[in-house]
Amino acid sequence: MNLYAPWSLRALVKDLATGATTPQAALDRARARIAATEPDVAAWVVRSPAPDRASSAGVLGGVPLGVKDIIDVAGLPTRCGSALRADAPPARADAPIVSAWRRAGAVVIGKTVTTEFAFFAPGPTHNPAASAHTPGGSSSGSAAAVAAGQVPLAIGSQTAGSVTRPAAYCGVASLVMTHGRFSVDGVVGLSPSLDSHGVYAASAADLAVAWMALDGGGPVALPRRPPRVLLWSAEPIGVVQDGMRHALETLRERLTDGGAVVDDFPEERLVAEVTAAHPVVMAYEAARERAEELPAADRLSEPLADLLRTGARTPDAEYHDARKTVESARIRIAELLTSYDAIVGPAAPGAAPEGLSATGNPVLSRAWQAWGLPAVAVPGLRDADGLPLGIQAVGRAHHEGSLLTHATWIESRLA
């Protein structure tokens, strides 16, 4: 069986709107695909016995939705992939972000696998695009569920590279929303100044449909002109692999051939400096956000325990210096994004690493996440072995719709 078979959200929404299919048929399709593929994918931790379709009258009109298991869904436990939460009772209410998706018409059918408290310890999920390779973390279950065609839409969260990286590895699209765009109440967080919401779909064009439904704005159409982009190589960070370098060369050629203005990103060193500051901020804040778990660190995975202990030891001055590094650079990046439509570069160092014992390297998302900017992972490129290679497009804060129009255009050049 081919595990990689993403389900087009655009096609489903059109069929639901025209009556070519029904919400019940969409739910039946999701259940059938889960039944057929879940033994090999392992994307879910719990499924709703009777999904609530009462609010499925929005634009999405009955679209099956997966929810990362650090986000509250009324009636289902939030276990966060941790033994410390193994006996968690069902949540009493939806997180506001879940309520927002329900108002848009989505139907929650269950909770998807997360790494422990959205950090590094992997869950059981396999990558549908390459089952011997990691699906990434921490929103691995949501990315895999979309890549396998179990659902056309799933939500996650990102503190470092937890949405962008799984999308790149699994060959699907993702959107990380502007930090603070929606409330994070009802979400078990890790770092308040970094935690952002995310969503997965088969393509950037599908994400545009989802964003229109969630944001309540008009249709996201293709731009009237090819975009002006800055091409970020990420070379000073020292992790980009040859396959990704070749992919970026291909990307430049296809964008230029399509009429886009493509200039080199002029602040590579600035991104490297903020990339180095991000882990300091994350550890310091995580030790305080997850203070309840710190006394039980010996029952946590080693990476998470190390993060909390490191953060607890981090001096206030070091944390504030790291925040200053982020803030002083923010103005320059915002200035660049007034002249260009997006900054485009690698979403991960390369293709998904082989093995399931680690989740890959999130380093190429750290700086953009520290600035709280929206980022779209765009699929379409492959390496010499046929594995997905994702690129990411970063745009202005609170301009997700515009960013998605340009990401959709870029995606069309990679098809």
Side-chain angles (χ1 to χ4, degrees):
M1 175 183 292
N2 184 8
L3 294 178
Y4 178 76
W7 181 0
S8 169
L9 178 65
R10 283 173 299 162
L12 176 58
V13 167
K14 180 180 179 181
D15 287 348
L16 287 166
T18 61
T21 192
T22 66
Q24 183 61 52
L27 181 60
D28 290 344
R29 173 174 167 173
R31 285 173 165 162
R33 182 64 179 168
I34 292 171
T37 59
E38 185 64 359
D40 296 313
V41 177
W44 301 83
V45 292
V46 61
R47 276 170 269 165
S48 304
D52 180 7
R53 289 170 38 199
S55 62
S56 61
V59 174
L60 298 180
V63 168
L65 174 75
V67 177
K68 181 180 181 179
D69 193 27
I70 65 166
I71 303 170
D72 283 349
V73 171
L76 298 178
T78 304
R79 293 179 177 140
C80 303
S82 176
L84 297 186
R85 295 248 179 165
D87 298 323
R92 295 182 178 180
D94 287 337
I97 189 66
V98 173
S99 297
W101 282 109
R102 286 194 201 271
R103 286 194 297 273
V107 176
V108 177
I109 67 166
K111 308 289 288 290
T112 55
V113 169
T114 175
T115 59
E116 187 182 36
F117 286 103
F119 201 52
F120 275 115
T125 306
H126 288 241
N127 185 338
S131 60
H133 296 245
T134 176
S138 65
S139 306
S140 50
S142 290
V146 169
Q150 296 177 337
V151 286
L153 195 66
I155 64 175
S157 68
Q158 177 153 301
T159 307
S162 298
V163 169
T164 302
R165 181 168 91 264
Y169 287 169
C170 293
V172 295
S174 69
L175 166 68
V176 178
M177 302 175 199
T178 305
H179 177 73
R181 184 70 187 247
F182 288 89
S183 168
V184 291
D185 289 349
V187 179
V188 179
L190 198 57
S191 177
S193 76
L194 300 172
D195 296 340
S196 296
H197 292 295
V199 58
Y200 293 95
S203 67
D206 287 320
L207 287 174
V209 172
W211 182 255
M212 175 188 68
L214 181 69
D215 186 51
V220 179
L222 285 173
R224 295 179 180 177
R225 57 165 174 78
R228 293 172 55 86
V229 305
L230 288 170
L231 191 62
W232 171 55
S233 76
E235 288 295 349
I237 298 176
V239 298
V240 177
Q241 299 167 3
D242 286 344
M244 181 59 77
R245 285 194 188 93
H246 294 149
L248 293 180
E249 292 172 4
T250 299
L251 175 66
R252 182 193 292 274
E253 292 171 1
R254 294 189 183 181
L255 297 187
T256 302
D257 289 347
V261 174
V262 182
D263 292 330
D264 290 332
F265 180 68
E267 300 290 356
E268 297 270 0
R269 182 58 60 185
L270 200 62
V271 173
E273 291 172 359
V274 172
T275 296
H278 175 285
V280 177
V281 174
M282 184 173 178
Y284 182 94
E285 293 187 359
R288 287 146 184 85
E289 184 74 0
R290 301 264 53 86
E292 182 180 346
E293 283 77 26
L294 187 56
D298 61 339
R299 296 175 59 199
L300 296 172
S301 60
E302 185 175 343
L304 181 58
D306 285 347
L307 175 78
L308 300 185
R309 288 167 179 149
T310 298
R313 293 193 303 266
T314 300
D316 293 347
E318 185 178 351
Y319 168 71
H320 291 302
D321 284 347
R323 290 294 302 268
K324 287 179 183 176
T325 298
V326 174
E327 292 305 319
S328 64
R330 185 191 302 275
I331 296 172
R332 174 58 175 153
I333 298 302
E335 178 183 86
L336 289 170
L337 285 170
T338 63
S339 301
Y340 290 87
D341 297 307
I343 299 168
V344 180
E354 190 168 4
L356 301 179
S357 61
T359 63
N361 191 340
V363 67
L364 297 186
S365 291
R366 288 189 184 275
W368 315 111
Q369 195 63 23
W371 287 313
L373 297 173
V376 177
V378 181
L381 295 171
R382 299 261 172 175
D383 71 3
D385 296 321
L387 297 175
L389 288 171
I391 56 127
Q392 60 179 321
V394 179
R396 285 185 288 167
H398 300 286
H399 285 72
E400 284 89 344
S402 174
L403 177 62
L404 283 165
T405 68
H406 298 299
T408 300
W409 186 91
I410 293 169
E411 182 176 72
S412 72
R413 297 300 304 169
L414 303 181

